[in-house]
Amino acid sequence: MLKLNTEMIEPFVAPEDLKKAKADAAEAFDTLVSGKGAGGNMTGWLDLPVSMSDTLISDCRMIANRWLGTLDVVVVIGIGGSFLGAKCALEAFSHSFASAGERNSPHIVFAGYSLSEDYMSDLLSYLKKKSYGLIVISKSGTTIEPALAFRILRMNMLKRFGAEDTRRRIVTVTDSSNGALRAMSEKYGYVSLSVPSNVGGRYSVLTAVGLLPIAVAGFDIERFIGGAREARECLMKKSEDNPAMIYAAYRNLMYRSGKKIEVFVNYHPKLKYLGEWLKQLFAESEGKDLKGLFPATLDFTTDLHSVGQYIQDGERIMFETSILAGSKEVEVIVPKSTDNLDGLDYLVGRTLEDINYMAEKGTRLAHTSGNVPNIYLVLEKIDEWNMGQLFYFFEFSCALSAYMLGVNPFDQPAVEVYKNNLYKLLGRPGYQDK
Ligand code: PA5
C-alpha cells in the first residue's frame, strides 16, 4: 500500500488540534461510508473495486481485442471527469516517447476537452490517412465540447468509411438510459457501455470511463482494479492509521490555519496529468459555499527553476502534497567522462533515481524551513497497481475532506453558470432568459 509521510507537516500542527481534526475525520468517515451525507446517493465509487462486474472487464477486453491490429488510432472524446482519469493513467503507463505505430495497440489521442479550432483541424489532418475509431464518453450525453467533437468526427467518419463501417468504429460510454448519446447509441446501433448512475464524473475512473481507454491502449485493467481493491481494503477500516483519514485531517488543519492553496507536486513527467486529475477532483468537490483550498500543481524539478522562488520566499499561503515514486527496474547510471570539465565526476556511479530522490529531500527540507508544510505520498513505482491505489486513495480522501468542510463532495452547481452563459451567447433555444 502507498505510504503517507507526515513528518514534515507535524511541526506546523499543535497535538490537540490534530486530535480534534482526527476526530472530525472519523465523523466524516461515518458520513461517507453510511451514505447518509449530502450527495450520499453518489457514493457508488466506494465499492467499484469489489463490485466490478466481470462483464464490464470482458467487454473492455473484447473491444480492445477487436480493435487491436485493425485501427491505427482511437480518439477518446470527453471532458472533465470523462477525460482526465484516462488521460492521467495513459500518461503514467506509457513509454515517454511512445508514438503512433510503435505498439500493437492503437495510438490513443484525445478530443472534446476544448473548443479549439486549431486542435480540431490538426486532429482532422492527422487522421486523414489513418484508420481510426472513436470512444465517446459523456455521462450526461449533452456536454457541448465532447458533443461537438463527436459530431465533427462522426461526419468525417461517415464520409470516409460509410454508415456500416462507422457503426463498428464507434463505442459510447454514457448513462444507461438518459441523454442524447444514449439515444444516438440506440438509434445507430453503437456498442455502448454504461456509467453507473451513482458514480459522478470525477469519481468514475474505475468505471468504463477510465477502464475502456486503458484497455484499448493495451494496459492491464485487472491490475489497475486490483490496486484500487487493496487501497479500499485499507481505507474502509476506520482506524487511527487510516492514511486517507490522516491526510484529510491535515488538509483540514492547514485550511483552518489560513492556508489557501494546496500544491500537488510530482517529480516525474509521467505524473503531470495526475496533477490535472487532482485539480478537478478537489476543486469541484470542495470549492463551494465560499470555502475550499485552491488546488495547484507543480512539476519538479522543472518548476523549481521558475515557481520555486515563490514557494520558498513568496506569500505563506500554501502547503505541499508531494507524490513520490520509485522508477522502473532499468537504471540510468551517471557515466565517467574523459575530462570532468562539467565537474560531475562526484556523481559517477549514482543512478538518476537516487539523484532525483536527493532533489526531493533537499526541496522538502528547504520548503519546510521556508514555512511551507509538506506532506508526501510514496508509490513503489508508476504502474497499473500503484495508480489504482492512488486514484482510490485520493477519491476517498477528497470525499472525507469535503464532508469535514461541510460541503457536498459530489455536486458542482457553479459549473452551470458558465454553461448557461455560453448557451445564451450561442443562441441555444430556451436559454435567452437565463
Ligand atoms: O466531475 C464531473 O461531474 C464533471 O467534470 C463531468 O465529468 C464533466 O463536466 C463532463 O460531463 P459529462 O460526462 O456529462 O460529459
Side-chain angles (χ1 to χ4, degrees), residues 246-317:
I246 298 172
Y247 176 48
Y250 275 108
R251 292 183 82 251
N252 189 265
L253 279 175
M254 289 294 108
Y255 182 63
R256 284 177 199 276
S257 73
K259 300 295 184 204
K260 300 287 181 214
I261 299 171
E262 177 174 20
V263 185
F264 292 102
V265 169
N266 74 76
Y267 287 80
H268 295 271
K270 283 185 176 188
L271 293 180
K272 187 176 179 64
Y273 263 86
L274 173 65
E276 299 306 308
W277 179 80
L278 286 168
K279 277 200 291 207
Q280 185 206 0
L281 179 69
F282 282 98
E284 272 193 344
S285 300
E286 287 193 305
K288 50 198 76 161
D289 302 345
L290 306 179
K291 298 184 206 173
L293 287 159
F294 182 83
T297 58
L298 289 174
D299 306 317
F300 286 174
T301 58
T302 315
D303 291 329
L304 287 172
H305 298 262
S306 57
V307 189
Q309 168 64 35
Y310 189 104
I311 305 276
Q312 192 67 43
D313 210 20
E315 280 232 50
R316 304 297 74 192
I317 49 175

Side-chain angles (χ1 to χ4, degrees), residues 79-82 137-141 143 146 201-202 280 284 412 419:
I79 195 166
S82 292
I137 307 174
S138 176
K139 188 179 179 198
S140 63
T143 310
R202 57 192 175 274
Q280 185 206 0
E284 272 193 344
Q412 55 284 327
K419 287 189 188 165

Side-chain angles (χ1 to χ4, degrees), residues 17-33 235 237-240 242-253 256 396-397 399-405:
D17 292 342
L18 183 61
K19 200 168 164 204
K20 165 82 179 66
K22 283 186 172 173
D24 292 347
E27 208 176 296
F29 178 97
D30 290 336
T31 308
L32 176 63
V33 300
L235 301 184
K237 285 184 201 127
K238 186 174 160 190
S239 87
E240 279 275 300
N242 182 318
M245 286 169 62
I246 298 172
Y247 176 48
Y250 275 108
R251 292 183 82 251
N252 189 265
L253 279 175
R256 284 177 199 276
F396 203 101
S397 307
L400 288 182
S401 296
Y403 280 137
M404 289 175 80
L405 267 190

